[in-house]
Amino acid sequence: MTIFLGAKDIHGDAVELNVDDNIDTQIDASGLTVLPGLIDPHVHFRTPGQEYKEDWRTASMACVCGGYTTVFDMPNNTPACITAERLADKKAIIDSQLSDADIPLNYGLYIGADKLSFSEIPIVKGDVVGMKIFMGSSTGDLLMDDDESLHQAFELAAKLDMLIAIHAEDECMIQERTELFKADTEFSTHSKIRSPEVAAKAVEKAISLSEKYGTRLYLLHTSTKLELELVAKAKAKGLPVYAEVCPHHLFLNETAYATLKGRAQMNPPLRSEEQRLYLFDAINNGLVDTIGSDHAPHTIAEKDSAYRQAPSGVPGIETTLSLLLNAYNDKLLTLDQIQSLTSGHAREMFHLPKSTDSVLVDLNLTKTVVGKNLKTKCAWSPYEGMSLTGWPVYTLLNNRVFDLEKIRG
């Protein structure tokens, strides 16, 4: 048994922390704070079909280094995970890769909602964490932009008591604004095309469908005041609507395009500084339920392509907790909020059983983000060069102890 001595919880109370790992050792955990193992409800680990960007061998190590012990992976793979057969094939590949990595990561999968494969949804209901809908185009070929299919999906999810996780951007507006700005070649154009109004229009429609059918709705990567004002109204009505915010929207703004260029491109895009700061207000007002990393790696070569050629998405699972802990040190967040946003609320939303998985963090440890030293296969970060105070140092996962300082080297 590995015994951690001197650790405390987020309130400063002593914690008895033992790991039944058949190793007789004691670890001095004085000065370390214990959090529940983090849950990320929103990752893209690129398996199957794009393992050159990421696979579960590298991603699981990135998870452990970031303090994450449970992740839910999205279905926009190649081919898209929209049938029972593809879901089974995907699970088999993941299990094999996790076995290769020797990391017992907890995971769940979403099934993609495709207008031609609704008959598959009831078959896989017990094997997935929810149904994923893309109302706006993004990586992959999953897109549901017609009202008839959206109504059908929300009605079906309600009947099956399934949660819908939704990428809410209005595709018609995206196409119209793409044409409007077709002559622009700067990466900042991305934020003009996918404006706050584009997101708000889709969120309004999704909430109305949730209200009509009683569907549990998880709004992914909300990033604007307009969206979260709609969330506030939905919550006031008692609707089962949940909102996620991502670290890139919390800690970067539109000015990042000047230096990061394509490495700052994601869907939905970076917003103004005013919008960024509003997200912290929304957290403090109880409008935000989860922090999802939206870990979506691409290679450096892909991201360094010209605008309209570079794909959208950034890695994030390895740095999310440290960004949040740094915000705690800057008095922007409390440890209670971080714990709720990274584990507590997700456990309730997805009806997950209790877990003994934990992460021990050093709130005073300062390190600089160096992309090439990260465990994600893409080996870069939009937070390159940032000095962050507060890092995970041990991750306890399914009776295994991962010493992160040794792993990082």
Side-chain angles (χ1 to χ4, degrees), residues 24-44:
D24 186 16
T25 188
Q26 294 183 350
I27 293 175
D28 182 4
S30 301
L32 301 184
T33 300
V34 182
L35 295 169
L38 272 59
I39 301 167
D40 194 334
H42 187 177
V43 302
H44 302 264

Side-chain angles (χ1 to χ4, degrees), residues 193-204:
I193 291 173
R194 294 175 180 252
S195 67
E197 292 76 17
V198 170
K201 184 175 181 180
V203 165
E204 185 173 28

Side-chain angles (χ1 to χ4, degrees), residues 217-260:
L217 175 63
Y218 182 29
L219 294 163
L220 302 170
H221 41 49
T222 56
S223 59
T224 69
K225 183 177 182 179
L226 288 173
E227 292 169 276
L228 287 159
E229 286 176 339
L230 292 167
V231 170
K233 293 177 181 177
K235 287 180 178 291
K237 289 182 178 180
L239 300 181
V241 172
Y242 311 100
E244 170 192 271
V245 165
C246 297
H248 36 273
H249 294 126
L250 276 172
F251 300 107
L252 299 173
N253 64 29
E254 293 171 325
T255 63
Y257 289 121
T259 54
L260 295 178

